[in-house]
Amino acid sequence: MKELIKKIGDLSLPLIVGIVVALAWANIDAYSYNSFVYHELAPKINFHFLINDVFLVLFFGFVSIEIVHGIAPGGNLYPIKNTVSNLMGALGGILLPIALFFFFNTFWGAPSYRNGWAIPTATDVAISLLFAQIIFGKKHPAFTFLLLLAIADDVVGLAIIALFYPDPELPINPRWLSLVLVAIVIAWILNKHKVRSYWAYLFTGIFSWIGLHHANMHPSLALIFIIPFIPHETSPGKERCQTELDHFENDFKPVVDYGLFFFGLSNAGVVFSSISILTLIIFISLLVGKTLGIYLMVKFAGLCKFNINNAISNLDLLLIGMTAGIGLTVSLFISEIAYTEADIAGAAKMGALFSLFNGFIALMVAKLIRKEQEIKHI
């Protein structure tokens, strides 16, 4: 049973089911859907707040775990000099979608759309890797390449959310950020005194959450400042054993995996009439921007003598870019905080949802190319 629960979570099925339920509900009865999501349970607290400001603390905490493991000695991103091509690919997959978003928006969009420039920069790690596993298999170097690229993409994505998307209706109150600094200092002290229980660190994260919330920055990032201090080192030369960070990840993984059902339910309830030119701008910026941005920057890295595995062909690299163009989870989140107008936010969310088709496009291209190759060999 545990294996089944884990498998369902790994396939991101709870998120996909949540999205489907939200879309169906909103298009059948938008009034009851909005009443459920935004009904005030307590002063300034509703279901949407509990998901986007509380549950996502765990989600982004898990994203930061990938980064911590990646940059640690022996991790996928260690040493950094060996992953320059991945980092440059991630940079290309961020900069070109931004450039395309502004280009398309200048000619076909509207000034009110500008704040959504970061929506097409995101990569949904779990679902992108799911498609990559189907296309390449886990043992193919293209799968590992996408994994490292997605981790680097996460680092930049978290920075973008923190720096460029404070509450649009409230100015940043930097004095409260001192409470985040206090939380970091406490976590550092706990680490230095070898406190093993991850619960002590999670409690410290409450101070970080309060500081970000009152500073009018998004509190869902509260744990990314704390996660690096949860003990995760293993003794050099010894077989890797479970660390406290591993225990935290194992204990809360089902909560995060299945909690994404409620994230999808809370954020994907968009009526199809919300589709506009913004939807197309985001979709094309993700598909074309990620595909060409990653491909061109990796090729540029090669010219600078930072080569990738020879087993990764040009076609593989293009497929990696298409697969990385699945924005979904983080794109939905940025759509929610980028726009205050419901209609514009709805159109942006539709673009984020349609980006799921980028994985199917990559899958279809891979099958067509391989079929042609098989015919040539007959």
Side-chain angles (χ1 to χ4, degrees):
M1 187 64 181
K2 284 185 178 179
E3 284 299 316
L4 178 61
I5 291 173
K6 183 179 182 298
K7 187 69 174 176
I8 291 172
D10 289 342
L11 292 174
S12 298
L13 288 180
L15 171 63
I16 295 170
V17 172
I19 289 171
V20 171
V21 171
L23 282 171
W25 189 353
N27 283 277
I28 292 170
D29 188 352
Y31 177 80
S32 68
Y33 172 80
N34 288 317
S35 296
F36 171 77
V37 173
Y38 297 105
H39 175 70
E40 202 168 75
L41 303 172
K44 297 184 179 181
I45 296 177
N46 53 33
F47 179 72
H48 186 269
F49 173 86
L50 292 175
I51 298 302
N52 281 38
D53 289 49
V54 180
F55 163 72
L56 282 189
V57 172
L58 282 174
F59 173 78
F60 285 118
F62 265 56
V63 170
S64 62
I65 289 175
E66 294 175 8
I67 299 167
V68 168
H69 285 323
I71 63 177
N76 291 324
L77 292 178
Y78 184 88
I80 295 295
K81 67 179 181 180
N82 291 343
T83 59
V84 171
S85 58
N86 302 82
L87 298 176
M88 292 185 71
L91 184 63
I94 289 169
L95 294 180
L96 189 56
I98 292 173
L100 287 178
F101 179 90
F102 281 120
F103 174 79
F104 292 136
N105 190 57
T106 299
F107 290 97
W108 295 288
S112 56
Y113 296 167
R114 287 176 188 161
N115 202 42
W117 59 269
I119 298 170
T121 65
T123 294
D124 189 301
V125 179
I127 296 182
S128 293
L129 290 177
L130 176 61
F131 275 97
Q133 184 177 339
I134 297 170
I135 295 169
F136 303 110
K138 271 192 173 183
K139 295 183 179 180
H140 195 287
F143 181 87
T144 305
F145 187 90
L146 177 60
L147 172 62
L148 305 188
L149 186 148
I151 293 173
D153 189 277
D154 282 343
V155 176
V156 179
L158 291 174
I160 287 174
I161 294 170
L163 297 175
F164 296 100
Y165 288 98
D167 191 319
E169 297 180 357
L170 297 169
I172 292 177
N173 188 345
R175 288 181 299 175
W176 278 97
L177 292 178
S178 60
L179 196 55
V180 179
L181 182 60
V182 169
I184 293 172
V185 171
I186 294 174
W188 177 79
I189 293 172
L190 290 173
N191 181 275
K192 285 298 177 183
H193 284 79
K194 302 187 184 303
V195 175
R196 309 304 300 176
S197 173
Y198 64 72
W199 287 104
Y201 297 89
L202 295 187
F203 182 78
T204 303
I206 295 174
F207 294 102
S208 179
W209 189 94
I210 294 171
L212 289 170
H213 179 71
H214 287 284
N216 300 320
M217 298 181 71
H218 214 280
S220 61
L221 304 178
L223 274 185
I224 69 170
F225 305 104
I226 308 301
I227 291 294
F229 297 101
I230 299 178
H232 56 274
E233 302 85 2
T234 53
S235 301
K238 292 185 178 181
E239 186 177 344
R240 192 183 186 282
C241 58
Q242 288 274 305
T243 66
E244 194 61 19
L245 187 58
D246 293 326
H247 291 313
F248 166 65
E249 187 174 11
N250 293 335
D251 290 347
F252 279 88
K253 190 177 188 303
V255 177
V256 173
D257 286 343
Y258 284 85
L260 284 174
F261 166 83
F262 299 104
F263 172 80
L265 183 64
S266 174
N267 290 273
V270 185
V271 293
F272 290 116
S273 60
S274 297
I275 295 174
S276 73
I277 189 63
L278 177 60
T279 305
L280 188 60
I281 289 172
I282 289 171
F283 175 73
I284 294 177
S285 296
L286 271 164
L287 176 60
V288 178
K290 286 285 186 183
T291 303
L292 292 183
I294 290 169
Y295 181 87
L296 293 174
M297 282 298 280
V298 170
K299 287 299 178 182
F300 177 72
L303 293 175
C304 299
K305 308 300 181 185
F306 298 107
N307 297 313
I308 60 174
N309 192 305
N310 291 330
I312 301 177
S313 66
N314 287 333
L315 172 62
D316 292 335
L317 197 53
L318 288 171
L319 292 173
I320 287 170
M322 290 180 197
T323 309
I326 303 172
L328 209 58
T329 311
V330 180
S331 289
L332 277 172
F333 178 68
I334 297 176
S335 299
E336 181 69 33
I337 60 179
Y339 301 114
T340 54
E341 298 88 348
D343 289 345
I344 298 177
K349 288 180 180 181
M350 290 305 297
L353 291 172
F354 286 159
S355 73
L356 181 62
F357 289 106
N358 292 341
F360 291 103
I361 293 172
L363 192 59
M364 182 178 64
V365 170
K367 286 189 175 182
L368 287 173
I369 297 297
R370 285 166 188 164
K371 191 173 182 179
E372 285 186 12
Q373 290 174 343
E374 289 173 3
I375 292 172
K376 286 180 181 178
H377 282 95
I378 294 176

